[in-house]
Amino acid sequence: MDILKFKHKKLQEWIAKMAEMCQPDNIILIDGSEEQKKQLQEEAVYNGEIIKLDQEKLPGCFYHRTHPKDVARTENLTFICTKKKETVGPNNNWMLPSQAYKKAGQYFKNAMKGRTMYVIPFSMGPVGSPFSKIGVELTDSIYVVLNMLIMTKAGNAVLEYLGEDKEFTKCLHAKAELDSEKRLILHFPEDNAIWSVNSGYGGNVLLGKKCLALRLASFMAKKEGWLAEHMLIVGIEDPSGRIEYITGAFPSACGKTNLAMIVPPKALKKKGYKVWTVGDDIAWMRIDSDGGLWAINPEAGFFGVLPGTNKNTNPNAMETMRKNTIYTNVLLKPDHTVWWEDGDGPAPAKGIDWLGLPWKKGQKDEFGKTITGAHPNSRFTAPIDQCPSHSYRREHHHGVPVSSIIFGGRRETLAPLVFEAFDWQHGVFLGATMASARTAAQYGKQGEVRRDPMAMLPFCGYNMGDYFTHWIKMGRSMWKKPRIFMVNWFRKDEKGNFIWPGFGENLRILNWINLRCEGKVDALKTPLGYIPKYEDIDMDGLDFPRKDWDKLFVIDKKEWRKEIKEQKEFLGTFGKQLPKEIWEEACAFEKRMKK
Ligand code: GTP
Ligand code: SPV
Ligand code: MN
């Protein structure tokens, strides 16, 4: 085995050490060239790792199935490894670094025998920007390499930037045997390292994404005074040309990608509203010299949910994935194109499902349940700049100014369509007590409501009590604070139907949010916060009567009192680490609801 030579000594030594443990047959450097990418695609097609789709209908597109027991992030196998257990808080699984290295080391040992180790130098954010972070991922999966080439800026330019001694995150990944019993996703914030073994799925293995850009970055952000958040970033341009940028945190599979590329309803488009997509999953935010908060998206691609995505719900996503896209865990049609539930067009008569089994339309399992062709967490990986609404500002190293932050979740009852926090501290409380129904993006009981503060429960790399304190401090350091809002597109009526049409129509709500930020519209005060007046929402082209609107804003005080009890119980789990300001907000809310 010949080891590549690098002028960066630490990089050289680290690769040698990891290769010594994993024993790959050879080592290949990912240079970021089109030529090498094509070669890797061919090789992966040849060895069956990916399937080439119809290159006329879907140019540059490929298909991949992950192991049936490896189709979503596994939070129970994800650990933050620090010297002290208190550092990670009740929100994380913890392991002592020495133990973690030892345990995973057994699984990595000889894991790449007979395989190639790929070395991927990558940048989260523009290469060379002071706000970007560099990582190097070692992996034995071409699927991972091809995804990283879309999701990050990877290749020679990054290596050059690293020079002889610049800092980078050491990321090690091996599929190994894909054994779910031996799967571990380990983070070492004190060593700036990540080890992931026995998985081949998304957030578990594209180590720049959740592992670096959220878990490790949140840890760094706390120290350095910025925010690393699970947020979309979108700009809304009004007919006068003014653009307001909104960032939004919703838990996994709760609508970030959709909102990031929202298409204005016809009547609003005609008036001149435009949308600018900056990011759909992660935002890094810093306070700039103007006293405001500025956001960048450290990613270069989307890793988006497919079921439910179609020409009507998200036309920009459909356009984005027409070429150079990797489709994971969907139905493969006989003509080598793909299909998923609630996608475009009727279900095909037959195909090969996400498990790799022959599939027929309407086929039921032994319990009479319809067998889906695509896994509910099936996804597409596509470059952001293929999105028709992508923002030219995405490449600016300082990002875009944030006017408002929205928090949201999937609540069938209780939570109104939208309301505004009284101030920053109240907004932090709203984020801290957010809850949402569990989706297919994580293992666990689907539909169960769980607390997911700022949609960061699975991604905050340290004690969330300290994280709330950090948020409060950030507010104090800004003299141009974004306003904070809560939204819920998912409230249902007695019959179980969504009351609000959602998707593109959500722009009407974003417009109200922007008017609030510009001080152009007043609102109604409720115990929850400020809610819009029906007449202040532009309903042009939408038949949405007042009686339905009112259903979206019913405040059931009895149910809310139950909710407050649960909120307080949850906040209590952070013990003395919980900032007193948040507890005071909870008590104040309780008092308002008693009146
Ligand atoms: P992650 O990539 O897991 O972080 O998810 P995400 O937050 O980006 O969620 P995404 O936009 O992919 O949406 C997930 C699911 O919610 C899809 O099936 C969408 O069709 C559905 N969805 C998104 N927006 C709305 C909405 O406004 N109303 C309704 N009813 N469904 C929505
Ligand atoms: C999420 O689950 O929030 C995702 C998908 O964005 S993954 O990258 O797999 O974490
Ligand atoms: Mn996400």
Side-chain angles (χ1 to χ4, degrees):
M1 169 182 51
D2 56 323
I3 295 210
L4 302 160
K5 292 275 175 272
F6 297 99
K7 58 183 180 204
H8 194 301
K9 252 208 148 128
K10 276 199 182 141
L11 175 62
Q12 178 76 31
E13 283 166 12
W14 171 66
I15 296 175
K17 209 168 147 193
M18 297 303 107
E20 179 62 33
M21 174 167 68
C22 301
Q23 289 293 314
D25 282 12
N26 52 76
I27 302 179
I28 290 179
L29 174 68
I30 298 306
D31 60 18
S33 70
E34 244 342 88
E35 205 185 338
Q36 187 187 48
K37 184 175 93 182
K38 290 239 154 67
Q39 270 173 16
L40 289 171
Q41 285 167 341
E42 292 306 326
E43 190 181 327
V45 168
Y46 179 78
N47 73 23
E49 208 174 328
I50 57 176
I51 291 172
K52 195 183 263 181
L53 294 170
D54 182 319
Q55 294 298 298
E56 253 167 51
K57 292 180 188 146
L58 294 166
C61 294
F62 294 86
Y63 174 90
H64 176 76
R65 277 186 209 104
T66 59
H67 187 283
K69 284 190 183 158
D70 190 23
V71 291
R73 281 181 293 102
T74 35
E75 291 170 16
N76 55 325
L77 305 173
T78 301
F79 291 81
I80 309 289
C81 312
T82 50
K83 283 187 211 106
K84 289 196 189 126
K85 188 171 183 206
E86 305 89 85
T87 313
V88 311
N91 48 297
N92 280 301
N93 299 312
W94 173 82
M95 229 192 273
L96 201 63
S98 56
Q99 256 169 15
Y101 285 127
K102 198 171 157 201
K103 188 163 182 197
Q106 294 167 358
Y107 306 149
F108 277 113
K109 196 169 179 213
N110 299 329
M112 297 188 189
K113 256 205 171 121
R115 297 181 187 170
T116 298
M117 175 192 268
Y118 300 94
V119 178
I120 319 168
F122 65 93
S123 176
M124 301 309 290
V127 183
S129 154
F131 301 151
S132 299
K133 298 280 175 204
I134 305 289
V136 179
E137 177 162 351
L138 309 179
T139 178
D140 56 355
S141 158
I142 300 183
Y143 171 71
V144 167
V145 174
L146 296 175
N147 272 278
M148 287 294 282
L149 284 170
I150 299 173
M151 297 304 295
T152 73
K153 309 225 176 250
N156 283 345
V158 179
L159 206 56
E160 253 156 58
Y161 173 75
L162 267 182
E164 294 181 9
D165 55 8
K166 280 207 185 68
E167 188 62 25
F168 66 95
T169 303
K170 303 180 281 284
C171 308
L172 176 66
H173 166 249
K175 292 184 285 191
E177 308 149 82
L178 291 174
D179 182 347
S180 56
E181 301 291 315
K182 295 180 182 168
R183 184 168 303 155
L184 284 173
I185 320 297
L186 306 173
H187 304 71
F188 304 91
E190 289 152 354
D191 300 341
N192 199 7
I194 302 160
W195 278 20
S196 161
V197 67
N198 277 305
S199 172
Y201 186 83
N204 283 346
V205 299
L206 311 177
L207 300 183
K209 195 174 178 53
K210 299 296 162 67
C211 301
L212 194 166
L214 287 178
R215 296 197 190 96
L216 289 193
S218 63
F219 199 96
M220 299 175 196
K222 164 85 170 37
K223 269 200 206 147
E224 299 167 9
W226 52 284
L227 293 167
E229 300 298 326
H230 189 202
M231 288 183 178
L232 70 103
I233 312 169
V234 66
I236 310 294
E237 183 176 332
D238 73 12
S240 79
R242 178 168 176 167
I243 306 180
E244 304 284 0
Y245 291 93
I246 299 176
T247 65
F250 312 156
S252 303
C254 290
K256 288 185 299 302
T257 301
N258 276 269
L259 202 65
M261 26 178 117
I262 187 172
V263 172
K266 268 203 192 96
L268 297 193
K269 197 176 200 159
K270 229 173 123 188
K271 289 181 185 170
Y273 285 97
K274 289 195 187 102
V275 171
W276 299 103
T277 305
V278 182
D280 82 322
D281 200 48
I282 298 176
W284 285 354
M285 302 190 286
R286 288 168 198 273
I287 302 171
D288 212 326
S289 48
D290 67 343
L293 195 62
W294 290 66
I296 69 159
N297 167 18
E299 300 190 283
F302 303 119
F303 182 61
V305 175
L306 283 168
T309 306
N310 59 52
K311 276 206 291 292
N312 298 319
T313 58
N314 195 345
N316 278 335
M318 296 308 294
E319 191 59 36
T320 305
M321 60 175 110
R322 280 165 61 137
K323 56 183 184 185
N324 308 321
T325 296
I326 303 171
Y327 290 91
T328 301
N329 294 340
V330 288
L331 181 86
L332 181 64
K333 286 165 51 175
D335 68 349
H336 271 221
T337 62
V338 287
W339 184 83
W340 52 88
E341 277 66 26
D342 298 316
D344 281 331
K350 59 177 188 175
I352 313 277
D353 70 9
W354 66 276
L355 287 161
L357 299 170
W359 178 93
K360 277 203 194 99
K361 184 169 143 183
Q363 199 174 329
K364 304 240 170 25
D365 67 11
E366 69 241 53
F367 308 105
K369 221 178 123 207
T370 305
I371 299 177
T372 63
H375 186 273
N377 193 35
S378 53
R379 295 198 177 233
F380 67 95
T381 322
I384 291 191
D385 49 20
Q386 286 183 191
C387 179
S389 59
H390 83 98
S391 165
Y392 57 94
R393 292 244 169 106
R394 203 177 52 78
E395 294 286 336
H396 291 190
H397 73 271
H398 52 77
V400 295
V402 180
S403 307
S404 62
I405 295 175
I406 62 183
F407 293 122
R410 205 177 260 274
R411 299 296 299 262
E412 294 189 2
T413 59
L414 208 68
L417 180 66
V418 60
F419 64 96
E420 182 185 347
F422 296 121
D423 53 29
W424 180 268
Q425 182 174 302
H426 179 228
V428 177
F429 163 75
L430 296 178
T433 50
M434 244 167 87
S436 190
R438 200 193 298 267
T439 65
Q442 58 274 134
Y443 279 97
K445 198 172 162 217
Q446 306 297 293
E448 189 179 67
V449 172
R450 68 163 182 175
R451 302 275 140 210
D452 187 353
M454 281 90 166
M456 281 289 277
L457 185 70
F459 308 119
C460 179
Y462 61 99
N463 192 318
M464 269 199 139
D466 297 332
Y467 170 79
F468 301 148
T469 305
H470 182 50
W471 263 82
I472 290 172
K473 274 196 193 150
M474 286 291 290
R476 291 197 182 126
S477 315
M478 278 182 274
W479 53 269
K480 247 167 65 183
K481 294 187 239 318
R483 292 195 187 209
I484 300 180
F485 298 80
M486 277 295 272
V487 301
N488 175 29
W489 318 133
F490 300 94
R491 193 151 170 168
K492 289 187 172 171
D493 61 16
E494 319 74 46
K495 292 195 198 102
N497 298 315
F498 291 117
I499 305 173
W500 177 247
F503 301 102
E505 309 299 344
N506 294 337
L507 188 69
R508 301 175 194 275
I509 306 307
L510 301 188
N511 284 345
W512 178 77
I513 287 174
N514 289 342
L515 290 174
R516 286 293 294 166
C517 294
E518 292 165 6
K520 289 183 181 157
V521 69
D522 60 1
L524 302 169
K525 197 169 181 181
T526 76
L528 293 175
Y530 297 111
I531 63 169
K533 295 179 184 163
Y534 177 71
E535 56 275 17
D536 285 336
I537 303 292
D538 187 340
M539 292 288 188
D540 207 0
L542 177 68
D543 181 22
F544 196 76
R546 172 143 216 160
K547 70 172 193 342
D548 289 339
W549 177 263
D550 289 340
K551 278 191 212 161
L552 290 165
F553 290 92
V554 171
I555 299 177
D556 183 336
K557 285 202 172 178
K558 207 174 124 214
E559 286 302 309
W560 269 106
R561 282 197 282 270
K562 271 194 229 156
E563 176 83 4
I564 292 170
K565 208 174 141 241
E566 282 174 36
Q567 288 181 347
K568 283 184 128 183
E569 270 168 26
F570 176 72
L571 294 175
T573 61
F574 297 101
K576 61 181 191 334
Q577 238 43 46
L578 184 82
K580 68 171 191 333
E581 290 88 343
I582 298 295
W583 189 254
E584 282 165 14
E585 287 292 338
C587 296
F589 180 36
E590 194 170 28
K591 228 165 128 189
R592 288 197 300 275
M593 273 300 185
K594 268 192 189 138
K595 273 194 200 150

